[in-house]
Amino acid sequence: MSKPEAEAAPMAALVVASLSRSFHQVPPSAVPATLDCILATTGLPPLSLFASFLDDFPHLLKGIMLEDENLDSDKHLHLLSLSSAFCHLLKKMGADYGAMKSFMYRCFLPLVVVLQTSQHDLLNQITEWFMDVVVETGAWGVFEVALVPNFLRSVGLSMGMLHSGDLDFYEWSSKPSFQGSYDVIIDPLKDKELLLSSSSTFTLRTSCNVLSLVMEGALQCAQTHTFFKSAGEERCIAVKFVETLIWDLCNMTERMLLHSLDHRSCAVGFFLPIVHKAFPTNHKFEISIRGQRHDFSRGHFFIKLWNCCITLFSGGKLERRDAYNVLSLCFSFLLPAEKCEDADSIFRIEEFDIRAEKQFWDEIKTGLVDKENLVRKQSLHILKMALNVQRGANSISKISKNNTNVTHSAPHAVTKRDRWAYKEAKSLGVGKLLTSDDLIFDSKQFWDAFVLLYEMLEEYGTHLVEAAWNNQVSLLLQFSGSYHNASSCIGDVHRDQLEICGETFNWLPILWERGLHHGNPQVRCLIMQSFLDINWEDYGNYINSMPEDFVLGPFMQGLNDPIHHKEFGIKGVYMSRVIEGAARFIHHYVTFLIPRKRIAFLCNLASTAKHHSFGRAGLMALAECIALAAAGIGTTVEASTKSSKHIVPMDFVSGVANQTDKKELLDIFRYVVESSKQHFNPSYRLKVCSKILEAAVLVVCTFDIPLEILLLFLSAFPREFTDYGGQLRATMKRWLSGCGEKACCGNCCSNEIKLWESLCDFPLSFVSNHLSSASLNYDDEDLNAWEFEANRWARVLLLAIKKEHPFEPILTFLESSGADILNQGQDTKYVKFLILALSLVLELHKAKERAVEYGNKARTDVANAFSGIVDGLSLIEGVSKKLVDKFLYLLDDLVQVANQASSIFWSGVVTEDSTLPGAVKGKLGGPSQRRLSISATTAVLQAVISVKALSLILLWCKQIRSDAPLNSAFIFIWQFFWRSTRSPCSCSETQAEIHLAAYEALVFGLKVLASPCFLGSMYLIKENENILSDTEGRPWLDSMCGAFFQNINDLLRTGVLARTRRAVLLDIKWVCLESLLSIPSQAFRNGFHLEENRASFSEGTLECIFSDLVESLENAGESSVLPMLRSLRMLIELVSNVRSNAVVSISNIIDTESIWNLVRSSWILHISCNKRRISSIAALLSSVLHPVFFNDEIMHQIGNAPGPLKWFVQNLLEEGKKSPRTIRLAALHLTGLWLLNPRIIKFYLKELKLLSLYGSVAFDEDFEAELADNNDARLEVSLLARSPDQELTEAFINTELYARVSVAVLFYKLADQARMVGSPSEDADCIAALESGKSFLLELLDFAVNDKDLAKELYKKYSAIHRRKIRVWQIICVLSPFVDEDIVGKVVDYLYISLHRNNLPAVRQYLETFAINIYLKFPFLVQEKLVLILRDYDMRPQALSSYVFIAANVILNSSKDVQSRHLDTLFPLLVPLLTSHHHSLRGFTQLLAYQILHKLFPLLDSGSSEILALEKRCLVDLKTYLAKNSDCARLRTSMAGYLDAYNPNSSATPAGIFVNRVEEGDFECVPTSLMEQVLNFLNDAREDLRCSMAKDVVTIRNETLNFNGDKNQLEHLSDAIKGNQLKYIASDFQKKVTVTKHDKGQIEAGFLYGNDETYRKMTELERDDLLLDNLLQSRRSSLNRLTESRQHFIFVASLLDRIPNLAGLARTCEVFRASGLAVADANIISDKQFQLISVTAEKWVPIIEVPVDSIKAYLQKKKREGFSILGLEQTANSIPLDKYSFPKNTVLVLGREKEGIPVDIIHILDACVEIPQFGVIRSLNVHVSGAIALWEYTRQQRSQ
């Protein structure tokens, strides 16, 4: 420091101290002037003042940042003023490198560290000021040596480059570009230390931001040439600096793109834009790095970026998004909008044309269908730039822009929809739509159309897509067909690009995929239907170029959309037009594939079931597509087979697929079949299975695949489809025989023999394939696997068997090998042999049952008989008899094996072993997890399977041959039972597990003992003294049952079993009890006497069993429910059957208290069941509501309180409101019980009313599936009290009508009993039936009249009230036979009230039917009631119409003895109504009057009534008129058959009310009433008349206009006529001023005569105009003042098209006084909706018209005017709204409501802001978002 400077230092310090305290009050713009004034007044040198500021800055900065990091406005202003002072002083000092360096290290870098976290705008401002200093002084060396390397090193350190040699790569040369310009001594070591110490303190974003600002400033300097040159330099310093920085930033960008997400974000947000901006100035240059020269260009950098993008594309979702962002940015700078048309020349200049890369186009295709909206927009932007496409959403057609004054009209010869689409596209600013008569001649037009369609799907409303889609796509398809033929017309780059990108069918799937995933269901339907309507036969040569990924992905997923299958499932048809069209497309697609790809495609197609979750319609579509794809393969192969000269063997698929493919294909088919099982409807499952089987038949031969795969596939099909009578059995047998449907060859017999031989060889291979010698143990899982394998074999064996097939190999194996295997003892072979034999026995048993069942159906229903039933039954019987002989041969061996194996249960040879298998250790156990060692488990399983096999084989043999000698085996079973129930219980877990296994085996033994086949063998037990030795005089069955109960309960009470194992034992207990109780039940049913003069069970035993059952019901497991309820039912039946015996009385065992306990436990059981199984509900009903108890009145009512059964019924029906199947089964059982016990009905009137009004889910697919698949469900439902009209009720069992139909049938049958009252057959039940019917009728009538809802007269059609009214009157109609003389008066009063109320025709028809039946039953009421009512002509027309119908039908349906009297009495009252002013009543009466005259007119000649000649003539003429009048004839024709078919008697029966229901589309089984048909006819006639009159008016008007347009005719008209015509013409046009008729006449006279009055009025108008001009001038001045006070904020809303959003934004702009609102079309302010929402805001806010294609030009114009261009958008670099400091001059761009701001606009924005959001929904309405942003701007401006 010089001496003057040292002397000035103290004064400078004082000045700085004073300034520092006041700088927070000095705005930055005033700082330079302030400093200049101080320097001038004090004489201080700038360097002294600068040094003092620099010394004082750390203390100032510490004081400012002391409190927190968030700066308020004063601190913000303080830092800006200090920075402005430093920069001004640096400029004053000139090129002082030392000062520059000191400022950078002591001031600028600390500020960067402090402000980098939150104050980005402040940091940017300070950096720009520092750049201005460097530009003005030319001190680039500071940046080149210190600043740039510092921040480059910071970026490198963030990527872990500290100790890498690559770090030196970014050190700038020791001979910088400024060398020689400044005389400065540099200390490299000190600089190095400063660099290392400061680089690590900067954040990545801050470093990148500063570097980009430095590059921005250098570029501006280089472009404006405001830089210094050295004397001998050829190139400027700034240019060299820019080139070096470009090199470093490009290399750093390459590394950052391959690093983390934050690095990629900074590279894309900071480096790439500025680097691309620099390249147009420095397109290609040479640079020296470490002494080596390098050539660098934009093309070279583009190659590096593309390689980075390739790497990113192979990454995850975020990496791919960044790759598209990089490419989008590159194309935006490489091909700006104004140069897009020169894209080809630009790419030729560059060293690298990315458009020649195939992967580039593949990634574009992938991006266009990406799930993320931003990626799709970027991909579309890249595509448009790459193909020079600038049409669509951001441009208006040239026609509409270049010549706005010309009236545009749609081209001629187009459809109405095309014209509408053309106008709509023009109004929205869409590119020009091609019409039907246009053609696409080159690929540029193709890409224009493609982009247009894509943007329509992405950005525009659905109405435009619906209007334009089909036509545009058809033109694209036409181009695809003519592309190769018209190649000469495509001479530009687009042809090359189309060849590179692929054919048309590589790009159209992109449009289809986006359409199929559109958010609007209508658009999805349109796209799918458009795709399927294509005639694919015309594109056979190109269809194979369609990507398979699209077909198997988006297309199949689209088929899973329910919106495409609205008609699916209606009326039981599981098909839709979309499914049929999709299957046809798949068929065409497969036929044009090369042969080796067809089976692979079929495998992939079927595999979609594994990758996606298909609904009902989707799975059916998949099955249909699989079937037709297989048909396409089969058809192609068949055609090739026929064209061959020699016979092709059956393995025609072998040429296109190997054996592995076929195995995989069948495995996938099996998965599809199993997937169908989750849908419960059997018809649906049958459809799916049939399609899969059809596909398998066409492409797979059974002999060509391993037997194991075939067995697995066939076993997946439901048994009901493949067993006898199954719809798929014939197809499957034909396939197994080697005959396919499409291709058959001569070696079918040999193939069939091969399959049969493999089936016959299976037993030996199955038995021989045992465990290894090292481990002969097995567990339950192994056993289950063996059983499943054997069951599959047995099922397929009986499917493939034929009479000519030799069964001897299997019989020989059983006979010869069986004895040897059984005699070998404890070996795996004999267990597998027993499993195999048992599987064959069970399969033969099922096959016989099925054959017998469907044989009976075939005999009763010849039309639907199944072929082959009789032959199949004889075959099964023949095989069964042969097999019985073999088992009888092996019987002794089976008994011996079972005896030896079961000895483990009571021998105690198993020792305690605490070592459990790993799968069981530490667990509670389960059905397949025995708490035993593996060796003990093996021994126990051998015993269980031995007893099981012996028992079931024994039972089956007895069923086949009743005389078979089976006594030894039978005695063994009884002894096994005896020993099992007498074995003492042990306290150890092992012994308890063994005892449990014994009971598990006993389950099968008791099935034998309980079988009716062995009732005749019971004498063997009595002869065995060992078994009956300890009965002590009790009945032997009682003794055995008691021993069983005591033993198994003792085992349960020991508590040594695990909880789940105890549950298993409980299940076994109840199953065994069911079998024990069924023994006497079967005996009683078959007439056997088990005990002589004694009951089978003692009273104590029965009471003990009942108590145990009732107590256990509450906690019963799901698997125990059915056995327990069956046991309960059999116990009650057993007590009922023997109660006449003195030993047992029902009251001693089951009293009222016991029933209360029973119903409470049963209710708890019912509500605790999570699954409402049909079998469980039916068993509960038949057990608790047993007929034995139901006929006892005390069970229903005790005093005034409900009895136990009524309490149960009340709760059950109340709960049944939520469970349709519960209430339907309850209705089935209860109506049957009530019919058997009519005297009980009086206790259940409310319950009957509930059932009558019940309505819920109309269809329960699971209900039908359970009845079809579950034998237990069918059995339990069959045991319920049956409906008296089973044929009628069965049709409604699975509908909401079932409860009501059951009640109707009940009372219809009770009416038959009621009619017997007074006859010799009268009994108490008849009287009870009559009384119950009358009581219920009065109950319903009172309810219908007095209920608050049912009394309403105003209600909607199809509403809940409408339904309830129909239901109650339907049942009342059925109850009409119960109307007796003692209640008829009350009934008629109720009826009168109801008929005079307003009701819809659907309700009134039931009232009318009921009334007709009452008047027919009691003729005296006609004179007493009906005549008086018909004479009341003031009643409502609706009620009068009903009484007309009643009277007419009383006349027509009366008996002969009263018909004439009714005719005389009633018909004269109908005649006046023929002239009614009410058109519907008049037409209705005419129709009924003609019917009476037509049928009964001959009575007028019989003399039975005295008719005067005049009256007779009147009636004759009336009949003639009604017969010949055309209108009356048309009315009768429209009602054809209704009146003749109507019968009031049958219409009041259940069959008449419910049978004539319409399938699925009906409403409560209500037919259209006569009155409703008349009204429909009259309405149609009136509508036709209106249309005819309208056409006549149009014709007259057109003729008038044509006449007025003829000048020659006008000349010949008189003045008066001419004046009238001109007035008529003028009436067609709107007038601005409307005057009265009086004023109009005066005006016309004034003009004609020129009086002074007219002149006076004109003068007044001129004076008013002058006043108006003055007023407007004053208002204009006020508006100018308002405009000057507005905020400098402009909304750009040109991308918005919804009127409410635009109107709301206008209102917001006025509230906050914004400068303007830019919209696409200024005419929108005239819209009524806009004006309603804006509330005159458009009159005060400047509305600027900025079309969509002019947005970028408008924004650039505003940027030149000093505005900051911001966007309100969620991007990766968006700044939170509350963190952003708005500049004073701001333009805010708003994006579209759905898609946001387009990519090409985002790239020119200065910044993007976003509103922080914290909820689940991540978007706000665009109007709301704009209002929030404008308020934040206003808040910030007010605070300054």
Side-chain angles (χ1 to χ4, degrees), residues 1408-1664:
E1408 294 160 0
T1409 298
F1410 181 68
I1412 292 169
N1413 281 284
I1414 298 302
Y1415 285 115
L1416 291 178
K1417 186 174 183 180
F1418 302 98
F1420 65 88
L1421 294 175
V1422 174
Q1423 186 66 38
E1424 293 180 6
K1425 301 287 184 180
L1426 189 56
V1427 171
L1428 297 177
I1429 294 172
L1430 285 172
R1431 285 177 177 165
D1432 181 10
Y1433 296 116
D1434 292 331
M1435 83 170 70
R1436 292 175 175 177
Q1438 190 186 62
L1440 192 55
S1441 299
S1442 292
Y1443 278 110
V1444 169
F1445 184 76
I1446 293 169
N1449 278 281
V1450 167
I1451 296 173
L1452 292 170
N1453 295 282
S1454 297
S1455 59
K1456 297 297 182 181
D1457 54 338
V1458 296
Q1459 191 173 48
S1460 298
R1461 185 168 69 248
H1462 288 343
L1463 180 63
D1464 293 343
T1465 306
L1466 297 176
F1467 189 73
L1469 299 175
L1470 302 181
V1471 172
L1473 299 178
L1474 294 170
T1475 61
S1476 173
H1477 68 283
H1478 199 279
H1479 65 283
S1480 59
L1481 177 59
R1482 184 173 61 250
F1484 191 58
T1485 308
Q1486 290 173 357
L1487 187 66
L1488 293 171
Y1490 176 80
Q1491 190 76 2
I1492 296 172
L1493 292 173
H1494 177 69
K1495 287 190 174 183
L1496 302 181
F1497 190 80
L1499 292 177
L1500 300 175
D1501 298 329
S1502 63
S1504 59
S1505 60
E1506 299 178 1
I1507 301 178
L1508 299 177
L1510 177 61
E1511 297 173 348
K1512 184 174 182 179
R1513 288 200 304 274
C1514 290
L1515 293 177
V1516 170
D1517 291 340
L1518 176 60
K1519 179 183 178 184
T1520 304
Y1521 170 79
L1522 293 176
K1524 295 184 178 180
N1525 182 269
S1526 59
D1527 293 332
C1528 295
R1530 283 198 303 136
L1531 177 60
R1532 287 196 305 276
T1533 302
S1534 65
M1535 310 292 127
Y1538 180 86
L1539 287 174
D1540 294 331
Y1542 178 75
N1543 186 328
N1545 293 321
S1546 62
S1547 297
T1549 63
I1553 294 174
F1554 298 108
V1555 167
N1556 297 324
R1557 62 192 290 269
V1558 183
E1559 289 293 336
E1560 263 56 337
D1562 67 310
F1563 172 69
E1564 301 291 339
C1565 288
V1566 178
T1568 304
S1569 65
L1570 178 64
M1571 186 63 186
E1572 204 167 3
Q1573 294 186 36
V1574 172
L1575 289 174
N1576 292 336
F1577 172 81
L1578 295 176
N1579 290 334
D1580 293 341
R1582 188 158 52 253
E1583 188 63 31
D1584 293 342
L1585 182 61
R1586 283 200 192 100
C1587 294
S1588 177
M1589 293 175 64
K1591 291 179 181 179
D1592 294 341
V1593 170
V1594 172
T1595 302
I1596 295 171
R1597 176 64 58 87
N1598 292 337
E1599 292 176 354
T1600 306
L1601 293 176
N1602 293 334
F1603 182 74
N1604 292 333
D1606 192 342
K1607 295 183 179 180
N1608 296 327
Q1609 292 181 1
L1610 286 174
E1611 293 175 356
H1612 296 291
L1613 294 176
S1614 63
D1615 294 341
I1617 298 176
K1618 187 184 302 181
N1620 291 335
Q1621 292 291 343
L1622 292 174
K1623 291 177 184 178
Y1624 180 77
I1625 297 173
S1627 65
D1628 283 346
F1629 299 91
Q1630 182 181 6
K1631 305 177 181 68
K1632 295 297 181 183
V1633 180
T1634 304
V1635 296
T1636 63
K1637 183 177 181 181
H1638 180 69
D1639 293 337
K1640 184 176 180 180
Q1642 289 184 350
I1643 292 173
E1644 290 176 352
F1647 277 106
L1648 290 173
Y1649 299 106
N1651 54 15
D1652 294 337
E1653 183 67 18
T1654 303
Y1655 178 76
R1656 186 181 61 80
K1657 290 184 177 181
M1658 295 293 296
T1659 304
E1660 292 177 356
L1661 289 174
E1662 291 177 358
R1663 186 167 57 253
D1664 292 341

Side-chain angles (χ1 to χ4, degrees), residues 1179-1192:
L1180 181 72
L1181 290 169
S1182 61
S1183 301
V1184 179
L1185 301 177
H1186 201 281
V1188 173
F1189 308 133
F1190 201 80
N1191 61 358
D1192 190 354

Side-chain angles (χ1 to χ4, degrees), residues 936-1066:
T937 300
T938 302
V940 165
L941 288 177
Q942 288 176 352
V944 172
I945 194 63
S946 299
V947 177
K948 176 182 177 181
L950 176 63
S951 301
L952 296 182
I953 291 173
L954 178 65
L955 181 60
W956 179 73
C957 290
K958 190 68 174 179
Q959 292 172 348
I960 301 300
R961 284 182 54 182
S962 58
D963 58 343
L966 304 171
N967 293 345
S968 60
F970 182 75
I971 292 175
F972 166 78
I973 297 297
W974 267 110
Q975 290 176 343
F976 181 79
F977 171 79
W978 192 260
R979 300 185 69 176
S980 298
T981 56
R982 294 302 191 277
S983 298
C985 295
S986 175
C987 296
S988 67
E989 184 181 20
T990 301
Q991 291 300 322
E993 280 285 347
I994 293 174
H995 206 168
L996 188 153
Y999 280 115
E1000 183 181 346
L1002 184 59
V1003 170
F1004 303 102
L1006 285 177
K1007 286 185 178 181
V1008 175
L1009 302 180
S1011 174
C1013 302
F1014 286 97
L1015 289 176
S1017 301
M1018 293 299 177
Y1019 71 92
L1020 296 173
I1021 302 174
K1022 299 177 182 180
E1023 295 176 357
N1024 194 321
E1025 298 179 355
N1026 295 329
I1027 297 179
L1028 302 178
S1029 59
D1030 58 349
T1031 57
E1032 299 178 354
R1034 297 164 55 192
W1036 59 269
L1037 192 57
D1038 181 81
S1039 176
M1040 298 182 69
C1041 187
F1044 165 77
F1045 250 78
Q1046 181 180 356
N1047 191 274
I1048 199 168
N1049 287 334
D1050 290 343
L1051 182 59
L1052 289 167
R1053 281 192 291 267
T1054 57
V1056 296
L1057 288 173
R1059 180 172 58 86
T1060 52
R1061 300 300 291 168
R1062 289 183 71 251
V1064 173
L1065 183 58
L1066 281 172

